[in-house]
Amino acid sequence: MSEQAGPGETTHEPTDSSTPTAASRQQRWTRRAPWLAFGIAATVLVVDQLTKMWAEATLTRGERTPLIGDALGIQLIYNPGAAFSMGENTTWVFTIAAAIGVGVTAWFAARARSRAWAVSLGLVLGGAFTHLLDRLFREPSFGQGHVVDFIAYFDWFIGNVADIALFFGVVTFLTLELRGIRLRPDSAESSEP
């Protein structure tokens, strides 16, 4: 059954017939996908920064408060490294990596014509951008800032809202790749009405 395209949308059959699931359905395109991606990124940024402000104003550094036994709690820490506090002495490397990640992800988000890809890229862009802001503007110095983490998972690691967005963005990215869903139509398709 063919889906009807709304205003600003087009529907095309996938050209890659090597993927059975992609070949058996149509893929819908929309020029509004970049707006969706940047809107999601902005939402992640605002929610992440507001929850970090709440954590700094409310929580005592290092003190853990259980929410669901040992599985989930809140505990304020300042992380100079990456996930699991890796690379604590090379904060500037993560600042550069975050800046590159933001630039590349924003470029792909601006080119997206798929809603699913817009969601994935928006989550990744929002998480990466808010981490970049932490690295640039938080203590102890410009480009060497420590990320505010406060969501504790068992004794494994402590993260934040941006980490959740990054996780789901990457999972969505991998799922779209495995299912053969494309970011945008081929040039031949985009020239069609």
Side-chain angles (χ1 to χ4, degrees), residues 58-129:
T58 308
L59 304 176
T60 302
R61 185 173 179 172
E63 183 178 305
R64 183 178 176 124
T65 303
L67 297 176
I68 305 174
D70 290 336
L72 185 67
I74 51 175
Q75 179 179 349
L76 176 63
I77 66 165
Y78 294 90
N79 184 0
F84 305 102
S85 296
M86 294 185 295
E88 293 182 12
N89 297 321
T90 55
T91 302
W92 62 272
V93 172
F94 298 112
T95 304
I96 294 169
I100 293 169
V102 165
V104 169
T105 307
W107 185 81
F108 279 106
R111 293 176 44 82
R113 294 296 178 266
S114 160
R115 282 194 187 106
W117 273 105
V119 170
S120 173
L121 293 167
L123 290 169
V124 172
L125 180 61
F129 190 62

Side-chain angles (χ1 to χ4, degrees), residues 22 25 27 29 114 116-117 175-183:
R25 63 175 159 59
Q27 190 166 339
W29 309 115
S114 160
W117 273 105
T175 302
L176 293 173
E177 279 291 320
L178 289 172
R179 294 187 63 197
I181 297 174
R182 291 175 292 147
L183 177 73

